[in-house]
Amino acid sequence: MIIRHMRATFGCLSGQELSLREGLNVICAPNESGKSTWCAFVRAMLYGIDASARPKAGQQPDKLRYAPWSGAPMEGEMELLWQGRPVTLRRRTPAKNAPMRDFSATVTGTAEPVPGLTGQDAGQTLTGVTAPVFCRSAFIGQGELSVTDTPELERRIHAIVTSGEEGVSYSEADARLREWKRARFLNRKTGAIPALDEELAQLQQQLASVSEAAHERDEAIEAARAADDRVDEAGRALQESARAGAAAAAESRYERRAAVHLAEQAFAASVEDAARSRAALEASPFGSKAPDELDPELEQAQQQLRQQRALAAQRRSVWPGIAFLALAAAWVVVGALWSNYFYSGGLGFLFLALWAFRRRRKTRQAADAAKRELKTLRERFGTDDPDELHALAEQHRLLWNDAQETAALRAEAEQVLEQARAVLTNSDRIADPESDRLREELAEAKAQADERDKDLARAIGRLSALGDPVELRSGLAALIEKREKLTAQYDAIDLAVQTLAAADAQLRERFSPALSRRAGQLMERLTGGRYGALAFDRDFSGQARLTGESTAREDFYLSAGAADLAYLCLRLAVCELALPGDDPCPLVLDDVLVNLDDERAAMAAGLIRELAETRQILFFTCRTRDAALLQG
């Protein structure tokens, strides 16, 4: 495949064009002129832009990094010669979220589509390899000389070694097998087998609990039966004892009932006497007060009676007022006859007359109030004579004493009645210690029977809650069978992992020596024989050995120039061994000689010129030295 012409609206490129030829193409331009952008454009035209890529730490995806600075849609065109036919590739952006998704491949100068070329697999069809393999072999971006492993490159190497199809990758197959292995058993707590073991342990514990519960149920049944037998035995013994003492109980029952009847009559009489005495006491003027509470009240009542009687006996004569009124009239007459000064004396007698009349009215009102209070006291005590209150108080003491005595007799009669009734109630029982003992045994036996019934109910409930033993045993057998299958699968997967690792080691042994040998030859040539060998492991980390030394050095011990040279040799060796030889794809190199000194840069330029004799090489550089060396 040979790229002839490119036109790009891509990043800093805005409609720029680049024409190329067969063999070596050296594009020398200053910094920020778009060299690395042209390299990325070649990759985008072949393999497209990943629209799903997201920004990572310190790195932008191509859809953002190479968005046109002009704001125009991302698009491009590439004319190339493929299998002897001129082909034009076009990619356009139909929407902002679908950069360069529209793809067409036509015969150059016509609208005739080229069969077999699509937007998804155009790059693989044209170059013979997938994008990851292309970017790790024929495409060397600026500062990207080192090689990292990828499943696609691994499949490619596998196909070269076995001359088979690129349909398998050791790392992918190993990862898948290990994932299956982890799914079955990762550690004691994670995986299908530990989960199944836990389920088995739970089910076995459940079965053990079922067996224990069944044993407890059987024991509870036996205990319940024994308790019921004891109840029956105690009941029969008590019945026999009751029949033996029934006659004696019947003889004493009549006497006890007669005693209860007499006690009831005595109690009724005492209740009547107590009620009558209480009513007489409450009818007393002093109510139901105790005698020791009467003295203050009696003294107060006597004093009140004397005061009210004295007030009620008071009298005031009307004549003083009439006399003062007559004198006032006489003084008025004298004043009218002789002198006005007598009028003042008349007024004085008039005031005295009014004062006498008012005092008489107050005395009469106080006497009326005293009479009313005497009436109230008379209604309460039945007399208004203070001396008669002592007789009333003495009578109240007699009533109170009588009420206390009748109440005590009533309480005594009630106690006698309760005792008689208790004796009657207990008369059905024979005062026989043996019967009492049998009753206690029967009560104890019934209590124990109830407890055994509860134990049996709990055992049956627990057994029911634990599940059917038949179903549990069936489930246990199924789990054991399932675990055996999983264990067999785990062992088979583990064997497959080991076998796959052994096979991969054999394949590496067949490919790695050839790759290391060819890279070592190139390294020896480009260093003038200073380094005699290179070696790379499965992840493409390298070691270099100086000529004449037996110990190889890791790549991180090398200088930047020596490390770049080692990985350049590795890339070129991968291109020779891993890329198709017929109609080879171009090599895209972006400033790969930047860290080399003049001598090694000259030797590397000579090697690149030789390679350009068999395939197209696009070499981008900003150094006039590298351009001069490449152009010879």
Side-chain angles (χ1 to χ4, degrees):
M1 184 187 76
I2 299 172
I3 301 174
R4 290 180 170 177
H5 187 78
M6 295 186 294
R7 183 183 58 81
T9 300
F10 192 82
C12 64
L13 305 176
S14 180
Q16 279 92 332
E17 299 184 11
L18 181 64
S19 297
L20 304 170
R21 63 177 184 274
E22 297 182 12
L24 180 60
N25 294 265
V26 180
I27 300 94
C28 183
N31 291 332
E32 299 185 359
S33 59
K35 300 185 299 300
S36 298
T37 304
W38 277 115
C39 294
F41 177 75
V42 171
R43 182 178 59 202
M45 287 300 298
L46 293 175
Y47 296 99
I49 296 290
D50 185 4
S52 64
R54 295 291 181 267
K56 297 180 181 179
Q59 185 177 3
Q60 292 280 7
D62 287 352
K63 65 179 182 179
L64 301 177
R65 183 179 180 183
Y66 295 109
W69 293 6
S70 62
M74 186 184 294
E75 62 181 6
E77 183 177 298
M78 176 185 289
E79 297 178 9
L80 51 85
L81 185 65
W82 176 57
Q83 296 180 348
R85 291 186 298 172
V87 177
T88 299
L89 305 181
R90 295 183 179 87
R91 287 186 183 270
R92 292 181 173 84
T93 300
K96 187 175 181 180
N97 59 350
M100 301 185 78
R101 178 175 294 179
D102 281 356
F103 173 84
S104 66
T106 60
V107 178
T108 303
T110 70
E112 180 183 354
V114 179
L117 293 181
T118 65
Q120 289 75 27
D121 58 8
Q124 184 173 353
T125 303
L126 293 170
T127 65
V129 293
T130 61
V133 177
F134 178 73
C135 292
R136 287 164 175 79
S137 56
F139 184 90
I140 306 177
Q142 190 176 36
E144 298 177 355
L145 271 168
S146 61
V147 181
T148 56
D149 195 15
T150 180
E152 288 83 356
L153 182 57
E154 189 177 340
R155 285 196 294 268
R156 182 65 179 170
I157 292 172
H158 179 273
I160 294 170
V161 174
T162 61
S163 299
E165 297 294 332
E166 295 184 37
V168 64
S169 163
Y170 164 74
S171 60
E172 290 180 326
D174 182 71
R176 189 176 300 112
L177 286 172
R178 291 184 182 277
E179 181 180 356
W180 292 346
K181 189 176 176 182
R182 288 192 298 270
R184 285 155 180 79
F185 186 86
L186 178 60
N187 52 44
R188 291 187 300 176
K189 295 184 178 179
T190 306
I193 293 177
L196 197 58
D197 288 341
E198 184 177 355
E199 190 175 355
L200 278 169
Q202 292 178 354
L203 193 55
Q204 290 171 345
Q205 180 64 34
Q206 189 173 0
L207 274 172
S209 300
V210 168
S211 178
E212 181 182 354
H215 181 68
E216 290 179 358
R217 179 202 58 191
D218 296 339
E219 290 183 344
I221 290 175
E222 292 299 326
R225 288 175 179 172
D228 290 340
D229 293 342
R230 185 180 175 189
V231 170
D232 294 341
E233 183 179 354
R236 287 193 298 270
L238 183 60
Q239 288 177 358
E240 292 177 1
S241 177
R243 283 195 296 269
E251 292 177 2
S252 62
R253 190 177 300 117
Y254 177 78
E255 296 176 358
R256 291 172 180 168
R257 285 181 178 175
V260 169
H261 180 67
L262 293 175
E264 288 176 346
Q265 291 178 345
F267 177 69
S270 66
V271 169
E272 292 178 0
D273 292 342
R276 184 170 56 255
S277 298
R278 189 69 181 176
L281 177 64
E282 291 177 353
S284 170
F286 301 102
S288 60
K289 292 182 179 181
D292 55 356
E293 298 177 357
L294 292 182
D295 292 339
E297 184 176 357
L298 181 62
E299 183 178 353
Q300 181 181 2
Q302 288 176 334
Q303 184 178 0
Q304 191 175 6
L305 280 173
R306 292 189 181 96
Q307 290 177 352
Q308 298 304 324
R309 289 182 63 159
L311 290 174
Q314 286 183 354
R315 295 288 186 270
R316 293 286 182 182
S317 175
V318 72
W319 294 112
I322 294 173
F324 286 129
L325 185 61
L327 289 174
W331 279 85
V332 168
V333 173
V334 173
L337 294 177
W338 284 287
S339 175
N340 290 335
Y341 291 107
F342 289 99
Y343 285 123
S344 59
L347 288 174
F349 285 119
L350 180 60
F351 283 129
L352 291 173
L354 292 175
W355 172 80
F357 286 126
R358 184 178 181 184
R359 185 176 180 186
R360 181 180 181 278
R361 184 171 60 83
K362 287 183 178 181
T363 300
R364 188 175 59 186
Q365 290 176 348
D368 292 340
K371 289 177 181 180
R372 289 192 298 271
E373 183 64 23
L374 283 173
K375 182 180 179 182
T376 302
L377 293 174
R378 190 183 303 112
E379 290 175 355
R380 177 183 175 186
F381 295 110
T383 182
D384 56 1
D385 187 355
D387 296 330
E388 293 181 3
L389 289 181
H390 287 287
L392 291 175
E394 185 63 27
Q395 183 182 1
H396 177 79
R397 288 188 181 91
L398 295 175
L399 292 174
W400 190 85
N401 291 333
D402 184 58
Q404 294 299 313
E405 290 176 1
T406 55
L409 291 173
R410 178 188 178 281
E412 183 178 355
E414 183 178 10
Q415 184 177 6
V416 171
L417 176 61
E418 290 178 354
Q419 292 175 352
R421 285 175 176 174
V423 171
L424 178 62
T425 302
N426 296 327
S427 64
D428 293 335
R429 297 183 56 191
I430 301 174
D432 185 2
E434 181 64 19
S435 298
D436 294 339
R437 183 185 63 79
L438 292 174
R439 287 189 181 89
E440 291 177 0
E441 287 185 0
L442 178 60
E444 182 180 355
K446 288 182 178 180
Q448 290 182 355
D450 291 341
E451 289 297 326
R452 299 292 83 78
D453 290 340
K454 292 178 182 178
D455 293 341
L456 178 59
R458 284 194 291 268
I460 294 174
R462 182 187 176 196
L463 185 61
S464 176
L466 289 172
D468 186 1
V470 177
E471 294 182 359
L472 292 176
R473 292 189 182 93
S474 176
L476 181 63
L479 288 178
I480 293 175
E481 182 180 359
K482 184 177 180 182
R483 191 192 187 285
E484 291 175 351
K485 291 181 179 179
L486 284 176
T487 303
Q489 292 174 5
Y490 178 83
D491 294 338
I493 293 170
D494 185 60
L495 179 61
V497 170
Q498 298 176 13
T499 304
L500 181 65
D504 179 70
Q506 293 179 0
L507 293 177
R508 290 288 179 175
E509 290 176 359
R510 295 174 60 186
F511 180 78
S512 295
L515 180 64
S516 299
R517 183 170 53 254
R518 180 54 182 158
Q521 292 172 354
L522 295 176
M523 185 70 172
E524 184 178 12
R525 173 182 172 179
L526 297 183
T527 60
R530 176 175 174 79
Y531 288 93
L534 286 177
F536 297 92
D537 57 16
R538 66 174 301 113
D539 62 355
F540 294 103
S541 59
Q543 295 179 341
R545 180 172 56 81
L546 291 171
T547 303
E549 293 185 358
S550 59
T551 303
R553 300 180 182 181
E554 300 288 345
D555 53 3
F556 50 78
Y557 288 113
L558 303 177
S559 66
D564 281 358
L565 200 59
Y567 281 107
L568 176 61
C569 295
L570 174 63
R571 291 263 193 167
L572 297 177
V574 171
C575 287
E576 290 183 16
L577 298 176
L579 298 186
D582 53 335
D583 196 15
C585 68
L587 298 184
V588 180
L589 311 177
D590 187 6
D591 264 338
V592 297
L593 308 180
V594 65
N595 287 326
L596 303 185
D597 57 28
D598 293 342
E599 182 180 357
R600 291 183 178 179
M603 288 186 284
L607 177 60
I608 292 173
R609 286 197 303 270
E610 289 181 13
L611 295 175
E613 295 176 1
T614 58
R615 69 169 71 224
Q616 185 184 35
I617 297 178
L618 281 60
F619 193 99
F620 295 86
T621 181
C622 63
R623 296 176 177 271
T624 56
R625 181 203 70 172
D626 296 345
L629 291 174
L630 288 168
Q631 291 170 359

Coordinates of all heavy atoms in Angstrom, one line a residue, residues 508-566:
R508 N 6.1 -18.7 22.7 CA 7.0 -17.6 23.0 C 8.5 -18.1 22.7 O 9.3 -17.3 22.1 CB 7.0 -17.1 24.4 CG 5.7 -16.4 24.7 CD 5.7 -15.0 24.1 NE 4.4 -14.3 24.4 CZ 4.2 -13.0 24.1 NH1 5.1 -12.4 23.4 NH2 3.0 -12.5 24.3
E509 N 8.7 -19.3 23.0 CA 10.1 -19.8 22.7 C 10.3 -19.9 21.2 O 11.5 -19.8 20.8 CB 10.2 -21.2 23.4 CG 10.3 -21.2 24.9 CD 10.3 -22.6 25.5 OE1 10.3 -23.6 24.6 OE2 10.3 -22.7 26.7
R510 N 9.3 -20.1 20.5 CA 9.5 -20.1 19.0 C 9.5 -18.7 18.4 O 10.2 -18.6 17.4 CB 8.3 -20.9 18.4 CG 8.2 -22.4 18.8 CD 7.0 -23.0 18.3 NE 6.9 -23.0 16.9 CZ 5.9 -23.5 16.2 NH1 4.8 -24.0 16.8 NH2 5.9 -23.4 14.8
F511 N 8.8 -17.8 19.0 CA 8.8 -16.4 18.4 C 9.8 -15.5 19.0 O 10.5 -14.8 18.3 CB 7.4 -15.8 18.5 CG 7.3 -14.4 17.9 CD1 7.2 -14.3 16.6 CD2 7.3 -13.3 18.7 CE1 7.1 -13.0 16.0 CE2 7.2 -12.0 18.2 CZ 7.1 -11.9 16.8
S512 N 9.9 -15.5 20.3 CA 10.8 -14.5 21.0 C 12.2 -14.6 20.5 O 12.9 -13.6 20.3 CB 10.7 -14.7 22.5 OG 9.4 -14.4 22.9
P513 N 12.8 -15.8 20.3 CA 14.2 -15.8 19.9 C 14.4 -15.1 18.5 O 15.4 -14.4 18.3 CB 14.5 -17.3 19.8 CG 13.6 -17.9 20.8 CD 12.4 -17.1 20.7
A514 N 13.4 -15.4 17.6 CA 13.5 -14.8 16.3 C 13.4 -13.3 16.3 O 14.2 -12.5 15.7 CB 12.5 -15.4 15.3
L515 N 12.4 -12.8 17.2 CA 12.3 -11.3 17.3 C 13.5 -10.7 18.0 O 14.0 -9.7 17.5 CB 11.0 -11.1 18.1 CG 10.7 -9.6 18.4 CD1 10.4 -8.9 17.1 CD2 9.5 -9.5 19.4
S516 N 14.0 -11.3 19.0 CA 15.1 -10.8 19.7 C 16.4 -10.9 18.9 O 17.2 -10.0 18.9 CB 15.4 -11.6 21.0 OG 14.3 -11.4 21.9
R517 N 16.5 -12.0 18.1 CA 17.7 -12.1 17.2 C 17.7 -11.0 16.2 O 18.7 -10.4 15.9 CB 17.7 -13.5 16.6 CG 18.9 -13.8 15.7 CD 19.0 -15.3 15.3 NE 17.8 -15.7 14.7 CZ 16.9 -16.5 15.3 NH1 17.1 -16.9 16.5 NH2 15.8 -16.9 14.6
R518 N 16.5 -10.8 15.5 CA 16.5 -9.8 14.4 C 16.7 -8.4 15.0 O 17.5 -7.6 14.5 CB 15.2 -9.8 13.7 CG 15.1 -8.8 12.5 CD 16.2 -8.9 11.6 NE 16.1 -7.9 10.5 CZ 17.1 -7.5 9.8 NH1 18.4 -8.0 10.0 NH2 17.0 -6.6 8.9
A519 N 16.1 -8.1 16.2 CA 16.3 -6.8 16.8 C 17.7 -6.6 17.2 O 18.3 -5.5 17.1 CB 15.3 -6.6 18.0
G520 N 18.3 -7.7 17.7 CA 19.7 -7.6 18.1 C 20.7 -7.4 17.0 O 21.6 -6.6 17.1
Q521 N 20.4 -8.0 15.8 CA 21.2 -7.7 14.6 C 21.1 -6.2 14.2 O 22.1 -5.6 13.9 CB 20.7 -8.6 13.5 CG 21.0 -10.1 13.7 CD 20.3 -11.0 12.6 OE1 19.6 -10.5 11.8 NE2 20.6 -12.3 12.7
L522 N 19.9 -5.7 14.3 CA 19.7 -4.3 13.9 C 20.4 -3.4 15.0 O 21.1 -2.4 14.6 CB 18.2 -3.9 13.8 CG 17.4 -4.6 12.7 CD1 16.0 -4.2 12.8 CD2 18.0 -4.2 11.3
M523 N 20.3 -3.7 16.3 CA 21.0 -3.0 17.3 C 22.5 -3.0 17.1 O 23.2 -2.0 17.3 CB 20.6 -3.5 18.7 CG 21.1 -2.7 19.9 SD 20.3 -1.1 19.9 CE 20.9 -0.5 21.5
E524 N 23.0 -4.2 16.8 CA 24.5 -4.3 16.6 C 25.0 -3.4 15.5 O 26.0 -2.8 15.5 CB 24.9 -5.7 16.4 CG 26.4 -6.0 16.3 CD 26.7 -7.5 16.1 OE1 25.7 -8.2 15.8 OE2 27.9 -7.8 16.2
R525 N 24.1 -3.4 14.4 CA 24.5 -2.6 13.2 C 24.5 -1.1 13.5 O 25.4 -0.4 13.2 CB 23.6 -2.9 12.1 CG 23.7 -2.0 10.9 CD 22.8 -2.3 9.8 NE 22.8 -1.4 8.7 CZ 22.1 -1.4 7.6 NH1 21.2 -2.4 7.4 NH2 22.2 -0.5 6.7
L526 N 23.4 -0.7 14.2 CA 23.2 0.8 14.5 C 24.1 1.3 15.6 O 24.2 2.5 15.7 CB 21.7 1.1 14.8 CG 20.7 0.7 13.7 CD1 19.3 1.1 14.2 CD2 21.1 1.4 12.4
T527 N 24.7 0.5 16.4 CA 25.6 0.9 17.4 C 27.1 0.6 17.1 O 28.0 0.8 17.9 CB 25.3 0.3 18.8 OG1 25.4 -1.1 18.7 CG2 23.9 0.7 19.2
G528 N 27.3 0.2 15.8 CA 28.7 -0.1 15.4 C 29.3 -1.2 16.2 O 30.5 -1.3 16.4
G529 N 28.5 -2.2 16.6 CA 28.9 -3.4 17.3 C 29.1 -3.2 18.8 O 29.5 -4.2 19.4
R530 N 28.7 -2.1 19.4 CA 28.8 -1.9 20.8 C 27.9 -2.9 21.6 O 28.3 -3.5 22.6 CB 28.5 -0.5 21.2 CG 28.5 -0.2 22.7 CD 28.3 1.2 23.0 NE 28.2 1.5 24.5 CZ 29.2 1.5 25.3 NH1 30.5 1.3 24.9 NH2 29.0 1.7 26.6
Y531 N 26.7 -3.0 21.1 CA 25.7 -4.0 21.7 C 25.6 -5.2 20.8 O 25.4 -5.1 19.6 CB 24.3 -3.3 21.9 CG 24.3 -2.3 23.0 CD1 24.5 -0.9 22.7 CD2 24.1 -2.7 24.3 CE1 24.5 0.0 23.8 CE2 24.1 -1.7 25.3 CZ 24.3 -0.4 25.1 OH 24.3 0.5 26.1
G532 N 25.8 -6.3 21.4 CA 25.8 -7.6 20.6 C 24.5 -8.3 20.6 O 24.3 -9.2 19.8
A533 N 23.6 -8.0 21.6 CA 22.3 -8.8 21.6 C 21.2 -8.0 22.3 O 21.5 -7.1 23.2 CB 22.5 -10.1 22.3
L534 N 20.0 -8.2 21.9 CA 18.8 -7.7 22.6 C 17.9 -8.9 23.0 O 17.8 -9.9 22.2 CB 18.0 -6.7 21.7 CG 18.6 -5.3 21.5 CD1 17.7 -4.6 20.5 CD2 18.7 -4.6 22.8
A535 N 17.2 -8.7 24.0 CA 16.2 -9.7 24.4 C 14.9 -9.0 25.0 O 15.0 -8.0 25.7 CB 16.8 -10.7 25.5
F536 N 13.7 -9.6 24.6 CA 12.5 -9.0 25.1 C 11.6 -10.1 25.6 O 11.5 -11.2 25.0 CB 11.8 -8.3 23.9 CG 12.5 -7.1 23.3 CD1 13.4 -7.3 22.3 CD2 12.4 -5.8 23.9 CE1 14.1 -6.2 21.8 CE2 13.1 -4.8 23.4 CZ 14.0 -5.0 22.3
D537 N 10.9 -9.8 26.7 CA 10.0 -10.8 27.3 C 8.6 -10.6 26.8 O 8.4 -9.8 25.8 CB 10.0 -10.7 28.8 CG 9.7 -9.3 29.4 OD1 9.1 -8.5 28.6 OD2 9.9 -9.1 30.6
R538 N 7.6 -11.2 27.4 CA 6.3 -11.2 26.8 C 5.6 -9.9 26.8 O 4.7 -9.6 26.0 CB 5.4 -12.3 27.5 CG 5.0 -11.9 28.9 CD 4.0 -12.9 29.5 NE 2.8 -12.9 28.8 CZ 2.3 -13.9 28.0 NH1 3.0 -15.0 27.9 NH2 1.2 -13.8 27.4
D539 N 6.0 -9.0 27.7 CA 5.4 -7.7 27.7 C 6.3 -6.6 27.0 O 6.1 -5.4 27.2 CB 5.1 -7.2 29.2 CG 6.4 -7.1 30.0 OD1 7.4 -7.5 29.5 OD2 6.3 -6.7 31.2
F540 N 7.3 -7.1 26.3 CA 8.1 -6.3 25.4 C 9.0 -5.4 26.2 O 9.4 -4.3 25.7 CB 7.3 -5.5 24.4 CG 6.6 -6.4 23.4 CD1 5.3 -6.6 23.5 CD2 7.3 -7.0 22.3 CE1 4.6 -7.4 22.6 CE2 6.7 -7.8 21.4 CZ 5.3 -8.0 21.5
S541 N 9.3 -5.7 27.5 CA 10.3 -5.0 28.2 C 11.7 -5.6 27.8 O 11.8 -6.8 27.7 CB 10.1 -5.0 29.7 OG 10.1 -6.4 30.1
G542 N 12.7 -4.7 27.5 CA 13.9 -5.2 26.8 C 15.1 -5.2 27.7 O 15.1 -4.6 28.8
Q543 N 16.1 -6.0 27.3 CA 17.4 -6.0 27.9 C 18.4 -6.0 26.8 O 18.2 -6.6 25.7 CB 17.6 -7.3 28.7 CG 16.6 -7.5 29.9 CD 16.9 -8.8 30.6 OE1 17.4 -9.7 30.1 NE2 16.4 -8.8 31.9
A544 N 19.5 -5.2 27.0 CA 20.6 -5.1 26.0 C 21.9 -5.6 26.7 O 22.2 -5.3 27.8 CB 20.7 -3.6 25.6
R545 N 22.7 -6.3 25.8 CA 24.0 -6.8 26.3 C 25.1 -6.3 25.5 O 25.1 -6.3 24.2 CB 24.0 -8.3 26.3 CG 25.3 -9.0 26.7 CD 25.1 -10.5 26.8 NE 24.7 -11.1 25.6 CZ 25.6 -11.4 24.6 NH1 26.8 -11.1 24.7 NH2 25.1 -11.9 23.5
L546 N 26.1 -5.7 26.2 CA 27.2 -5.1 25.5 C 28.1 -6.3 24.9 O 28.1 -7.4 25.5 CB 28.1 -4.3 26.4 CG 27.5 -3.0 26.9 CD1 28.3 -2.4 28.0 CD2 27.3 -2.0 25.8
T547 N 28.7 -6.0 23.8 CA 29.5 -7.0 23.2 C 30.7 -7.3 24.1 O 31.4 -6.4 24.6 CB 30.1 -6.5 21.8 OG1 29.0 -6.2 21.0 CG2 30.9 -7.6 21.1
G548 N 30.9 -8.6 24.3 CA 32.0 -9.1 25.2 C 31.5 -9.3 26.6 O 32.3 -9.7 27.4
E549 N 30.3 -8.9 27.0 CA 29.9 -9.0 28.4 C 28.8 -10.2 28.4 O 28.2 -10.5 27.4 CB 29.2 -7.7 28.9 CG 30.2 -6.6 29.1 CD 29.6 -5.4 29.8 OE1 28.4 -5.5 30.0 OE2 30.3 -4.4 30.0
S550 N 28.7 -10.8 29.6 CA 27.8 -11.9 29.7 C 26.5 -11.5 30.4 O 25.5 -12.2 30.3 CB 28.4 -13.0 30.5 OG 28.8 -12.5 31.8
T551 N 26.4 -10.3 31.0 CA 25.3 -9.9 31.7 C 24.5 -8.8 30.9 O 25.1 -7.8 30.5 CB 25.6 -9.3 33.1 OG1 26.4 -10.3 33.8 CG2 24.4 -8.9 33.9
A552 N 23.2 -9.0 30.7 CA 22.4 -8.0 30.0 C 21.9 -6.9 31.0 O 21.8 -7.2 32.2 CB 21.2 -8.7 29.3
R553 N 21.6 -5.8 30.4 CA 21.2 -4.6 31.2 C 19.7 -4.3 30.9 O 19.3 -4.4 29.7 CB 22.0 -3.4 30.9 CG 23.5 -3.5 31.2 CD 24.2 -2.3 30.9 NE 25.6 -2.4 31.2 CZ 26.5 -1.4 31.0 NH1 26.1 -0.3 30.5 NH2 27.8 -1.6 31.2
E554 N 18.9 -4.1 32.0 CA 17.5 -3.7 31.7 C 17.5 -2.4 31.0 O 18.4 -1.5 31.0 CB 16.8 -3.5 33.1 CG 16.8 -4.8 33.9 CD 15.8 -5.8 33.3 OE1 15.0 -5.5 32.5 OE2 15.9 -7.0 33.8
D555 N 16.3 -2.1 30.3 CA 16.2 -0.9 29.4 C 16.3 0.3 30.2 O 16.7 1.4 29.7 CB 15.0 -1.0 28.6 CG 13.7 -1.2 29.5 OD1 13.9 -1.3 30.7 OD2 12.6 -1.3 28.9
F556 N 15.9 0.3 31.5 CA 15.9 1.5 32.3 C 17.3 1.9 32.7 O 17.5 3.0 33.3 CB 14.9 1.5 33.5 CG 15.1 0.2 34.3 CD1 16.1 0.1 35.2 CD2 14.2 -0.8 34.2 CE1 16.3 -1.0 36.0 CE2 14.3 -2.0 35.0 CZ 15.4 -2.1 35.9
Y557 N 18.3 1.0 32.5 CA 19.7 1.4 32.8 C 20.3 2.0 31.6 O 21.5 2.5 31.7 CB 20.5 0.1 33.2 CG 20.1 -0.4 34.6 CD1 19.5 -1.6 34.8 CD2 20.5 0.4 35.7 CE1 19.2 -2.1 36.0 CE2 20.2 -0.1 37.0 CZ 19.5 -1.3 37.1 OH 19.2 -1.8 38.4
L558 N 19.7 2.0 30.4 CA 20.3 2.5 29.2 C 20.0 4.1 29.2 O 19.1 4.6 29.8 CB 19.7 1.9 28.0 CG 19.8 0.3 27.9 CD1 19.1 -0.2 26.7 CD2 21.2 -0.1 27.9
S559 N 20.9 4.7 28.4 CA 20.6 6.1 28.1 C 19.4 6.3 27.3 O 18.9 5.3 26.7 CB 21.8 6.8 27.4 OG 22.0 6.2 26.1
A560 N 18.9 7.5 27.2 CA 17.6 7.8 26.4 C 17.9 7.4 24.9 O 17.0 6.8 24.3 CB 17.2 9.2 26.5
G561 N 19.1 7.8 24.4 CA 19.4 7.5 23.0 C 19.5 6.0 22.8 O 18.9 5.4 21.8
A562 N 20.2 5.3 23.7 CA 20.3 3.8 23.5 C 19.0 3.1 23.7 O 18.7 2.2 22.9 CB 21.3 3.3 24.6
A563 N 18.1 3.6 24.6 CA 16.8 3.0 24.8 C 15.9 3.2 23.5 O 15.2 2.3 23.0 CB 16.1 3.5 26.0
D564 N 16.0 4.4 23.0 CA 15.2 4.7 21.7 C 15.7 3.8 20.6 O 14.9 3.3 19.8 CB 15.4 6.2 21.4 CG 14.5 7.1 22.2 OD1 13.7 6.6 23.0 OD2 14.6 8.3 22.0
L565 N 17.0 3.6 20.5 CA 17.5 2.8 19.4 C 17.1 1.4 19.6 O 16.8 0.7 18.6 CB 19.1 2.9 19.4 CG 19.8 2.6 18.1 CD1 19.3 3.4 17.0 CD2 21.3 2.7 18.3
A566 N 17.1 0.9 20.8 CA 16.7 -0.5 21.1 C 15.2 -0.7 20.7 O 14.9 -1.7 20.0 CB 16.9 -0.9 22.5

